[in-house]
């Protein structure tokens, strides 16, 4: 069935602890945490290789997105300071969501967690997505077959395997994991753009069936159907960047600049029209 295994609740229940009431993505502003993992299933003990927080504003029909570098030094609830990608290995999606909420002081209403297979399936179901490849490169494919994916500089429509290579590529990029985060945001933008041209709900039904165990989300199937129309109305997708510096302290970390974190957090809060006081006053 369409809702097979994709739907998954967080232990916190349907609403963020930072909300008085659950949001309704059909009419409210909301946030989504996109999570990419390198695993055959989307189990709870792996590390997260891609973390992108996105906010959606209904009136403006706009999206803002920030990529959280995987080595970011973060306060993980009950564990103290560690790399943010460890949160998932320590406590699955619940701990990842709690860590991101704590970091930005912004509620995480929804999550979409997927592995390589689901990512490939989604991109292929859209008949590929268009990106601007910054330089020629060659990288392994999803089965780690060496040099299986070769892309040339320029604007190209990538199939699922190529798109995966594009968002995984790191060593050929002088900016490493940071540049990779930029390409992941570009890819989500490309998916949202391309999904405007996908007209039938049946198509989404098929995609969700096909991704099966490879994707988990706390969106309901009804939410996703409602979001399809929303996706085609989006007219402004902006990406934000977290500034930071290398920190070598018994291992490598990426330490965020306080000022940059504060600015991104403030931008996302305003975009969500989220006000803490309003949440507690009622
Ligand atoms: C409402 C609904 C249902 C949907 C809305 C529609 C949308 C917008 C859906 C979007 C869903 C998506 C697409 C979300 C996006 C999240 C993204 C962008 C996910 C990315 C793909 C993914 C599934 C996982 C992350 C993959 C990444 C970034 C890395 C894992 C390197 C090692 C040690 C070497 C190794 C070398 C490379 C490529 N690899 O790949 O290979 O493990 O990377 O850096 O750890 O490994 O270093 O030296 O062994 O070869 O260079 P990796 P690494």
């Amino acid at each position: 069935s369409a809702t097979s295994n994709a739907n998954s609740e967080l232990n916190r229940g349907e609403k963020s602890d930072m909300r008085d009431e659950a949001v309704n993505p059909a009419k409210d502003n909301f946030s989504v945490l996109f999570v990419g993992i390198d695993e055959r299933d989307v189990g709870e003990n792996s590390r997260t290789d891609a973390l992108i927080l996105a906010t959606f504003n209904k009136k403006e029909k706009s999206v803002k997105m920030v990529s959280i570098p995987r080595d970011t030094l973060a306060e993980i609830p009950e564990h103290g300071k560690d790399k943010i990608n460890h949160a998932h290995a320590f406590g699955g999606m619940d701990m990842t969501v709690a860590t991101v909420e704590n970091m930005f002081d912004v509620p995480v209403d929804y999550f979409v967690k997927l592995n390589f297979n689901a990512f490939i399936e989604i991109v292929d179901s859209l008949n590929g997505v268009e990106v601007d490849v910054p330089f020629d490169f060659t990288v392994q494919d999803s089965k780690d077959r060496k040099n299986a994916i070769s892309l040339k500089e320029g604007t190209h429509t990538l199939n699922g395997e190529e798109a995966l290579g594009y968002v995984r590529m790191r060593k050929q990029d002088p900016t490493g994991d940071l540049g990779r985060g930029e390409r992941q945001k570009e890819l989500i933008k490309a998916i949202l753009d391309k999904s405007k041209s996908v007209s039938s709900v049946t198509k989404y039904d098929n995609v969700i069936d096909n991704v099966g165990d490879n994707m988990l989300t706390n969106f309901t199937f009804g939410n996703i159907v409602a979001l399809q129309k929303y996706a085609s109305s989006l007219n402004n997708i902006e990406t934000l960047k977290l500034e930071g510096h290398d920190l070598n302290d018994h291992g490598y970390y990426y330490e965020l600049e306080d000022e940059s974190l504060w600015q991104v957090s403030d931008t996302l809060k305003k975009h969500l029209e989220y006000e803490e006081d309003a949440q507690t006053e009622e």
Side-chain angles (χ1 to χ4, degrees):
S1 82
T3 49
S4 53
N5 294 303
N7 195 248
S8 156
E9 278 294 317
L10 293 167
N11 292 333
R12 73 178 192 197
E14 66 169 331
K15 75 166 190 67
S16 162
D17 295 339
M18 296 180 72
R19 298 274 194 193
D20 280 342
E21 284 175 41
V23 298
N24 174 354
K27 61 181 184 63
D28 301 322
N29 298 338
F30 61 93
S31 67
V32 184
L33 184 64
F34 292 106
V35 182
I37 61 171
D38 172 6
E39 232 200 19
R40 291 193 180 275
D41 56 45
V42 275
E44 295 281 270
N45 41 31
S46 51
R47 292 178 185 175
T48 48
D49 281 317
L51 274 181
I52 291 153
L53 180 61
T55 53
F56 290 73
N57 182 292
K58 189 76 187 166
K59 233 183 301 134
E60 289 179 4
K61 298 183 171 43
S62 59
V63 183
K64 294 197 195 290
M65 272 190 285
V66 64
S67 164
I68 310 167
R70 66 174 174 179
D71 296 317
T72 298
L73 187 62
E75 180 69 33
I76 302 178
E78 295 156 48
H79 286 270
K81 290 209 167 222
D82 208 330
K83 283 188 192 182
I84 194 150
N85 69 352
H86 288 31
H88 190 266
F90 290 146
M93 264 326 295
D94 282 281
M95 195 163 287
T96 301
V97 164
T99 303
V100 171
E101 286 190 333
N102 177 64
M103 183 168 162
F104 292 97
D105 195 27
V106 160
V108 173
D109 301 306
Y110 296 98
F111 74 89
V112 177
K113 175 168 81 167
L114 72 174
N115 65 13
F116 293 177
N117 297 333
F119 180 84
I120 291 169
E121 176 67 36
I122 290 171
V123 173
D124 283 338
S125 74
L126 293 167
N127 299 320
V129 293
E130 192 178 279
V131 298
D132 202 3
V133 179
F135 48 80
D136 295 3
F137 72 89
T138 298
V139 74
Q140 71 235 65
D141 68 5
S142 66
K143 305 281 184 298
D144 284 336
R145 282 180 290 240
K146 274 197 164 172
N147 304 331
I149 307 290
S150 262
L151 297 176
K152 290 258 175 269
E153 182 180 338
T155 304
H156 301 288
T157 297
L158 307 186
N159 66 26
E161 274 286 355
E162 292 168 336
L164 179 70
Y166 188 66
V167 299
R168 281 176 77 191
M169 184 264 281
R170 171 170 75 92
K171 301 205 163 164
Q172 298 85 337
D173 183 338
T175 68
D177 186 56
L178 301 180
R180 174 156 84 174
E182 296 299 306
R183 286 185 288 283
Q184 291 163 1
K185 288 183 293 187
E186 182 188 7
L187 214 290
I188 292 182
K189 188 174 183 305
I191 288 176
L192 289 170
D193 283 340
K194 189 68 183 271
S195 65
K196 292 180 184 180
S197 60
V198 178
S199 51
S200 80
V201 166
T202 324
K203 183 113 193 197
Y204 282 86
D205 201 340
N206 287 339
V207 174
I208 290 171
D209 258 352
N210 290 344
V211 298
D213 291 341
N214 296 302
M215 184 177 93
L216 285 176
T217 177
N218 61 340
F219 277 121
T220 64
F221 183 67
N223 288 156
I224 294 171
V225 171
L227 285 173
Q228 192 209 346
K229 220 167 77 204
Y230 189 29
S232 38
S233 77
L234 295 171
N235 58 30
N236 178 336
I237 303 177
E238 190 196 345
T239 68
L240 308 169
K241 204 171 161 211
L242 284 169
E243 304 293 341
H245 50 259
D246 295 348
L247 175 72
N248 288 295
D249 179 15
H250 305 283
Y252 170 77
Y253 300 92
Y254 185 68
E255 187 171 48
L256 300 181
E257 310 290 353
D258 288 340
E259 180 67 19
S260 171
L261 175 58
W262 183 85
Q263 275 178 12
V264 169
S265 159
D266 190 56
T267 303
L268 297 180
K269 264 187 215 176
K270 287 193 172 121
H271 191 238
L272 273 182
E273 297 171 60
Y274 175 75
E275 286 170 46
E276 285 137 287
D277 289 343
Q279 307 295 314
T280 47
E281 262 165 24
E282 288 167 48

